[in-house]
Amino acid sequence: MKNRLKVLRAEHDMTQAQLADETGVSRQTINAIEKGKFDPSLPLAFRFAKLFKLKIEEIFQDEE
Amino acid sequence: MKNRLKVLRAEHDMTQAQLADETGVSRQTINAIEKGKFDPSLPLAFRFAKLFKLKIEEIFQDEE
DNA sequence: TATATTTGTAAAACAAACTTTACATCAAAT
DNA sequence: ATTTGATGTAAAGTTTGTTTTACAAATATA
């Protein structure tokens, strides 16, 4: 499962800490997701989508 | 987090066991998700979406 | 260059997702 | 009515997601 969080953050000029804050998780969680250590929960994926006004599939992609 | 799995299953005439099988989880997991006991992981949500050819948001909805 | 901010990482602990086994209930059924 | 298939549920266990604390490394900025 790949994701575009780092790029989306850059486009919105946000730090990992700010994204964590806006989505209600810790900065380490954002970092771990960006680094591919694990996938977010579905509710957290929805919060990313809502924040960036994108579909979940526009942020996360199955890497077959 | 609400979901339309039960309806989608009905539309596709599938049992919980069949859906479990096609998405690689146990029947109890399908049952628990349908009954709202917990949300699926993001990868599992993707598998549902792929199977039913729907966006994740067409299957799962934030209940505000 | 020194200092501040951001990012990477790690360990311990807890929470949520998921499995296995097992049994009970419900609805066709015919 | 009893069997058969589907669903509901529960307990114990494993794995994955997440937090907290803490520190090191990288990047920006003064």
Side-chain angles (χ1 to χ4, degrees):
Chain A
M1 185 111 269
K2 291 175 55 180
N3 73 74
R4 307 207 317 120
L5 286 182
K6 187 172 182 173
V7 169
L8 290 169
R9 244 189 342 101
E11 288 176 355
H12 291 75
D13 198 24
M14 300 176 81
T15 68
Q16 291 183 343
Q18 287 171 335
L19 179 54
D21 205 50
E22 299 224 36
T23 55
V25 292
S26 70
R27 180 182 67 79
Q28 286 78 351
T29 290
I30 299 296
N31 189 77
I33 293 169
E34 285 192 4
K35 303 293 283 183
K37 297 203 176 174
F38 51 73
D39 298 314
S41 67
L42 185 57
L44 179 51
F46 266 87
R47 281 179 255 145
F48 289 132
K50 183 173 188 179
L51 178 62
F52 293 126
K53 298 193 168 72
L54 293 172
K55 297 284 181 198
I56 287 178
E57 287 86 351
E58 293 173 315
I59 305 179
F60 298 91
Q61 299 99 25
D62 252 341
E63 40 196 340
E64 77 277 354
Chain B
M1 186 110 265
K2 292 174 53 179
N3 72 74
R4 306 207 315 120
L5 287 183
K6 187 171 181 173
V7 169
L8 290 169
R9 243 187 345 100
E11 287 176 356
H12 291 75
D13 197 25
M14 299 176 81
T15 68
Q16 291 183 344
Q18 287 171 335
L19 179 54
D21 205 51
E22 299 223 35
T23 54
V25 292
S26 69
R27 180 182 67 80
Q28 287 78 352
T29 291
I30 299 296
N31 188 76
I33 294 168
E34 285 192 4
K35 305 293 283 182
K37 298 204 175 173
F38 51 73
D39 297 315
S41 67
L42 184 57
L44 179 51
F46 265 87
R47 280 178 257 144
F48 289 132
K50 184 172 187 178
L51 178 62
F52 292 125
K53 298 193 168 75
L54 293 171
K55 297 284 181 197
I56 287 178
E57 288 86 351
E58 293 173 315
I59 304 178
F60 299 91
Q61 300 98 27
D62 252 341
E63 38 199 340
E64 80 272 359

